[in-house]
Amino acid sequence: MPRVLVVDDEPNILLSLEFLMQQAGFEVTTAEDAEQAQVLISQQVPDLILLDISLPGMSGFDLLEQLRADEATRSLPVVMLTAHGREVEKEKGMALGASDYITKPFSTRELVSRVQALLDRGNGG
Amino acid sequence: MPSRQNLLGLWMLLCGVLLFGGIGLLLWLDTVLTPATPERVALWVLGLSPAVVVLMLGMVLERRLFRPLRQFQVLLARLVASPDARSDFPLDGWLKPLQPDLDHIRDGWRGDRARLRDARDEGAAEALRIQQELEGVLQVLDLPLLICDDHQRLLLFNPAARTLFHDQPALGLGRRISQLLPHASLNDALKQLPQDGSPRQLLLPGEPRWLRCELRRLGARHGGALITLRDTTHELESDQSWRRELATLLPRLRGHAGSLGSAADALVQVEHNPELQHRLEQAISQESQALSQKVEALTRLVESHQLSQSGLEETWSNDLFSALGERLHEEAIELTPVGIPVWIRVDGPALLAMLERLIRELVQIRPVEALDIEVLLGNKRVYLDLIWQGEPLTDHQLSLWHALHLFDDPLSPRIEDVLAQHGAELWSQPRNDTDTASLRLPLPASSRGARPQPRAEQHAGQTRPEFHDFSIAELPAPDAALAHTRLEELELVVFDTETTGLDLRGGDQIISLAACRILRGRLLAQDSFDQLINPQRPIPPDSTAIHHLTDADVANAPPIEVVLPRFHQYVGPGVLVAHNAVFDLLALRLANGETGPTFDMPVLDTLLLSRTIDPTLEGHGLDALAERFELTFPPGTRHTALGDARVTAELLLALLPRLRSRGIETLEQLLELQREVEQGRPS
């Protein structure tokens, strides 16, 4: 069962995403900030991370850069979740090595299918 | 003519030699000849008579010749300095017979001058009338504008520009634009303006304001440019604050919408888990509440932004009402403005048409022939009330009016469009304690509070301001050598200081610094620098007795380190002038320290120049010279820095024609002359 780590500081969206991703057949862990996420990743590298950009303290971009700098997580698929709809931020996320970029509000069905597609691509390659 | 002291010395020496020589000779003769008494008396009378004759002759010459000659000298000096002054004193002594001839020459000269002046005045009167009309337009124009010549020297600025740059000492005729607006982009744009006069726009960022300016080349002889300015600081700030608020609000909206959507999706899928179901329901409730709040905030933001949008202009309510009254006059409806008028931000033509339409509808359903109209200041808004005798209108009636077109044309805007444009609503209410009712229209208030100032009142009692001088464009290019500049073309900054005392090296400090400007031989009446300075030490009472400045007067004044750079900026490329400049310059240089601006421009000293021209006259102090040239200090201005600077400037203007008549034409020659007298070798 693919393991997905959801990082977001909004408890309501964490609750919903945790349930929805479980329903879609993933094993889900959640973190409310980047530091907590780092701890979880160091214990066990997930198959994919859903990462919010605006986090208290270290931002999602910072965490993404660290993941890309680390050999163990260099090719780990990371989907950025953001409430900022600006095109340039999407460009920034992709430039920093995000695998996909999803803007809030989003369709949960689409989110699940894009996560699935990324995991399939990873398994296939 | 030799100076009075020299003559006096020579005379007394001669008298002394003759007197004591005579006495010596007599004593010798007395012992050698031992004459009888009558011969002795005759001998003594004869021996002393040369001394007595020289004594008497000296007194007669002084009274009848030398004193009248000195008076004649002052008379000539005064005549050259101000030919039309009328208070001449008559010639005296042996020069008295010259009086009729002198009067004849002087009157002839004055007559010629008068005829020349009349002819010139007549010719200039028409030009002046046109000039005054144009000046009038410039005076009332709200748009700040500047005109500069090819060398970017300021030829004109209007009162609106003076208001805009009120805190800038660099605004002055003949000053470089770059001193006022030191933006490289402006400098480049001015050099590259298209010949056909088409405009170029520029945004000049800066502290404390951002200016939007439009530049056009003028087809004038001096090839200069017209610069119109608009202070966009407020506009940019409000635009930035709206963008900033929007940028924080939108992500929150998206975030809550995202949380709400995913919670709803989850809730649909959850089965047999009452606890999760409950938590998801709670999340949905929280997120939808947060979403509503953010939507509410967004609505307010959009509304406030719409209100600040262009299309609405500052309008004086009474202007609007009188236009409305005229329109209704044809309908035999009497409109009376009541209450205190205020500024409102409205689309004037649209609001006027809407009010006219509303009143016409009103008189059809209410028997009204006369209406009062009033504006009331509310919180953030202004309420415009139409008041009539009778019952208020029903809300249903008003809602029917919303859809009415302003004009008969079905494509014209509706009343509701004008209401939306102003962010307004309409309601009708009875008036307290009266049998009148009103139709109330809330409108955006203006940020301007006070009533518009009538221009005539603003400038009443003031001399006509000098805000243009196109002859500046005839001056040599600023990079031409200053030394060869002709005296009448020099930009002169005449200054004076008041200090805590005279011992500058002992620590006395400047407490007042003032200056005025002479441009093309004219003392500019409104171009001055006048600043009190806190000397950071007490002012001794005996110096207060001179300039009447006390510690309390300078307590809130800035220190010299703040004032000097501003003064340096005011001086610009000008030549400094002072009376007894050594003192004032020393005061400036000592105050300056190592980091301040340097005052290394050429300096003229009216004390030295006066000594050069009239070495035989006594008294070259400011008071003596003011009296000689009939210059008056306005009451209470002697020993004020600005008062003394102005009189020094007038003194210099009186000296200049006499310098020219002595062949001194350029700054270089004048400085050379000044150097000679400084070194004690008057020419």
Side-chain angles (χ1 to χ4, degrees), chain B residues 424-451:
Chain B
E425 251 306 324
L426 265 184
W427 66 87
S428 184
Q429 60 192 45
R431 307 250 301 165
N432 290 346
D433 305 329
T434 56
D435 52 353
T436 56
S438 69
L439 181 63
R440 174 159 285 191
L441 176 66
L443 291 169
S446 156
S447 50
R448 287 159 79 165
R451 94 189 335 269

Side-chain angles (χ1 to χ4, degrees), chain B residues 463-656:
Chain B
T463 49
R464 201 169 63 85
E466 290 138 349
F467 60 89
H468 62 77
D469 185 351
F470 286 90
S471 61
I472 291 167
E474 314 289 333
L475 295 179
D479 46 4
L482 191 62
H484 300 295
T485 308
R486 296 175 61 81
L487 294 183
E488 61 269 32
E489 291 170 350
L490 281 177
E491 181 180 343
L492 301 158
V493 174
V494 190
F495 79 106
D496 186 52
T497 58
E498 299 298 328
T499 55
T500 54
L502 299 178
D503 185 9
L504 295 174
R505 295 200 187 274
D508 274 323
Q509 297 288 333
I510 303 177
I511 51 174
S512 173
L513 175 60
C516 52
R517 195 183 305 278
I518 295 175
L519 200 63
R520 286 189 70 81
R522 277 196 315 140
L523 174 60
L524 303 181
Q526 296 200 334
D527 186 328
S528 61
F529 181 94
D530 190 7
Q531 180 68 58
L532 289 178
I533 294 148
N534 188 337
Q536 326 271 5
R537 56 176 289 169
I539 303 172
D542 27 334
S543 80
T544 296
I546 294 172
H547 45 57
H548 303 296
L549 289 173
T550 61
D551 291 334
D553 291 327
V554 297
N556 294 322
I560 190 76
E561 300 82 52
V562 174
V563 176
L564 275 188
R566 287 176 64 87
F567 179 63
H568 192 264
Q569 203 185 4
Y570 177 81
V571 176
V575 172
L576 279 177
V577 183
H579 195 74
N580 193 13
V582 182
F583 181 82
D584 299 284
L585 268 187
L586 183 67
L588 284 188
R589 286 178 181 154
L590 286 177
N592 204 11
E594 304 213 332
T595 50
T598 51
F599 291 91
D600 51 4
M601 53 283 283
V603 180
L604 296 176
D605 187 343
T606 44
L607 175 70
L608 293 179
L609 293 176
S610 172
R611 272 195 195 145
T612 319
I613 298 180
D614 295 314
T616 58
L617 294 182
E618 284 166 9
H620 295 279
L622 199 52
D623 288 313
L625 289 169
E627 195 190 334
R628 185 169 305 153
F629 293 102
E630 298 184 302
L631 312 172
T632 46
F633 292 91
T637 61
R638 176 66 177 121
H639 291 302
T640 65
L642 189 58
D644 288 1
R646 281 199 186 284
V647 168
T648 307
E650 287 182 26
L651 172 63
L652 183 74
L653 290 176
L655 293 175
L656 283 183

